[in-house]
Amino acid sequence: MNARPDRRWPPGAPAGVPDGLPSPARFAHLHPDDGACLMEAAALLASGRFTDSPAGTHPALAALARVVNDGVGDDARRALWPLAADLADAHPPGRDYAPLLVGTVVDAARRVKPASRPLARYRRVCRRRARRLAHAPTGGAASRVADLLWWRGPGRRHLEAALRVLCAAPDAERRLSLLLRQAVAQAREYTDGRASDRDVSCNR
């Protein structure tokens, strides 16, 4: 499904937003005329397809972006809209990227609940996995299956648990917006090969 070419942002759209995107809105949508979430906008930019799970975005980063999109208010969502262009092509190839990203989100949640034992355990799990996979080869069916199982199992559970903590924080909108901007910047650095010390830290 393609975005209609006459669908334009209203006056006052944030700088850097490409022409032709639907208006930002919460949740998933059946058609661009109803608006779009951040990942649906990224998918339109990447391929013209209307989906909230575009192939060009790492699934862990897409999951984070969907929660942030739905968890912030209209003004914050509009301010985040230019990130759609970066999200459209944000699929770092390294096997350690997913645990690093989940670890970054867990670290953000621990700043809200520093005494949480589950969050501390999730952080250790992410750090161990990221270290182990930092220099692992990316090819091979067995590796892809193992990474997919981790993401669909403990990886996703850790991410969702951390995001629940962040969404319940008194200043959730600020924390979520900052976290997504940080995650997009880290994905770009990782892909460009400029991320430093990524094999020893989840919180760069």
Side-chain angles (χ1 to χ4, degrees):
M1 184 184 295
N2 293 329
R4 289 175 51 181
D6 60 343
R7 183 73 171 170
R8 292 288 185 263
W9 265 71
V17 174
D19 290 339
L21 285 183
S23 297
R26 297 176 68 199
F27 307 124
H29 305 84
L30 295 176
H31 193 277
D33 279 353
D34 296 327
C37 76
L38 189 55
M39 286 314 306
E40 290 165 341
L44 288 171
L45 291 173
S47 65
R49 295 183 61 240
F50 194 62
T51 172
D52 65 358
S53 300
T57 309
H58 193 286
L61 183 57
L64 171 61
R66 287 191 294 267
V67 171
V68 173
N69 177 87
D70 296 345
V72 301
D74 292 343
D75 290 343
R77 190 177 303 109
R78 287 169 62 88
L80 292 170
W81 217 239
L83 293 180
D86 286 320
L87 287 165
D89 183 23
H91 204 300
R95 295 184 61 196
D96 59 335
Y97 173 72
L100 283 172
L101 176 61
V102 175
T104 295
V105 179
V106 170
D107 281 340
R110 292 185 73 223
R111 288 191 282 273
V112 178
K113 296 183 68 174
S116 170
R117 290 185 178 180
L119 290 176
R121 184 171 69 252
Y122 301 159
R123 184 175 190 269
R124 289 193 299 271
V125 170
C126 289
R127 286 174 65 88
R128 283 199 302 266
R129 184 170 181 83
R131 282 199 194 97
R132 183 163 56 83
L133 297 179
H135 304 292
T138 58
S143 297
R144 290 194 295 271
V145 170
D147 293 345
L148 181 64
L149 290 176
W150 184 85
W151 163 240
R152 292 189 174 179
R156 183 184 290 273
R157 290 196 301 272
H158 300 345
L159 181 73
E160 291 174 348
L163 286 171
R164 282 194 295 271
V165 171
L166 289 164
C167 288
D171 55 347
E173 185 171 284
R174 180 189 66 81
R175 290 178 183 272
L176 290 170
S177 296
L178 180 63
L179 177 62
L180 183 58
R181 292 183 188 279
Q182 177 188 11
V184 170
Q186 287 179 351
R188 187 165 56 245
E189 290 172 356
Y190 188 111
T191 302
D192 292 344
R194 294 196 302 266
S196 62
D197 201 27
R198 72 174 185 251
D199 58 332
V200 298
S201 176
C202 291
N203 186 26
R204 302 191 297 281

